[in-house]
Amino acid sequence: MYLIVGLGNPEEKYARTFHNMGFLAAADAAELFGVKFKKKECEASIAEAYIGGEKVIIARPLTYMNASGRAVRQLMARYKLTPAEMVVIYDDYDLPKGHVRIRPSGSAGTHNGMRSVIAETGISDFARIRIGIRDEAVNIPIINYVLCDVKKEDYELFSFACRRAAEAAVALARGERIDLVMGRYNG
């Protein structure tokens, strides 16, 4: 079993914001599997897929970003998952816009959603896929920036980055080694 979690905010008004890159990548992962988000459980919207008979849960927490960890903790407990059976996808202000970076573990950095995941689960040794959102030309506080809509001229770049992040998550769910996935998708 494997869990792919995309972080974001559940309201429609946040759908095209930088902070919803994880939600967009999770939707792309569901599309790659040919499944839809049909269930709600553990404070998350869920899509279920299968790889070789093994279940893959794709989740988008229905809590706000800063409480994302509640849903992740509940899903891990419900399905008795280990950190090695999970990847979290999220936006990262510390990376240039459009860059994708995969890591096997790490800290929350400046991301409150990841801070919540780590605090609620008590673990940090799980895979994460970060989608860079920083635009050097924009100089506003991070808290305001992440809730801005993606500019129309950048939409294609972010669509491509979310798709790459989804492909990387699917590769991990298929059991590919993280170092190989990192080599293929980082950048």
Side-chain angles (χ1 to χ4, degrees):
M1 177 166 240
Y2 203 82
L3 174 63
I4 297 171
V5 179
L7 300 185
N9 284 309
E11 287 185 56
E12 183 60 33
K13 68 182 180 179
Y14 298 114
R16 292 188 179 263
T17 65
F18 293 110
H19 232 9
N20 269 34
M21 292 295 135
F23 269 24
L24 296 171
D28 284 345
E31 183 180 304
L32 289 169
F33 280 116
V35 297
K36 298 202 180 292
F37 290 89
K38 293 182 179 177
K39 291 174 59 176
K40 289 184 173 58
E41 63 182 34
C42 301
E43 294 187 79
S45 178
I46 302 292
E48 295 179 350
Y50 290 87
I51 297 175
E54 288 291 319
K55 188 181 224 180
V56 177
I57 301 288
I58 305 161
R60 298 188 296 191
L62 295 171
T63 59
Y64 285 98
M65 179 66 82
N66 294 354
S68 299
R70 284 196 332 243
V72 176
R73 176 181 42 78
Q74 292 171 35
L75 287 163
M76 288 186 76
R78 178 181 178 101
Y79 292 103
K80 297 174 178 49
L81 297 168
T82 67
E85 297 169 308
M86 177 176 74
V87 62
V88 178
I89 309 170
Y90 60 102
D91 64 285
D92 192 336
Y93 184 80
D94 296 326
L95 291 175
K97 67 181 181 179
H99 284 233
V100 173
R101 183 77 39 89
I102 301 149
R103 291 286 179 255
S105 63
S107 72
T110 59
H111 201 279
N112 288 333
M114 279 300 287
R115 212 171 270 136
S116 172
V117 170
I118 291 169
E120 287 281 343
T121 63
I123 57 172
S124 62
D125 60 338
F126 54 87
R128 68 258 340 260
I129 301 173
R130 299 165 16 212
I131 300 168
I133 63 168
R134 186 182 69 240
D135 185 339
E136 295 291 345
V138 178
N139 187 19
I140 60 174
I142 294 174
I143 193 154
N144 297 335
Y145 181 78
V146 298
L147 296 177
C148 289
D149 283 351
V150 173
K151 293 184 234 171
K152 287 181 184 176
E153 62 265 23
D154 288 335
Y155 191 74
E156 191 173 317
L157 172 69
F158 284 108
S159 291
F160 180 73
C162 288
R163 188 61 164 212
R164 284 181 57 82
E167 290 169 358
V170 169
L172 291 172
R174 287 195 166 120
E176 289 188 42
R177 288 187 0 219
I178 194 162
D179 59 329
L180 297 177
V181 175
M182 288 167 59
R184 195 160 63 246
Y185 291 99
N186 275 354

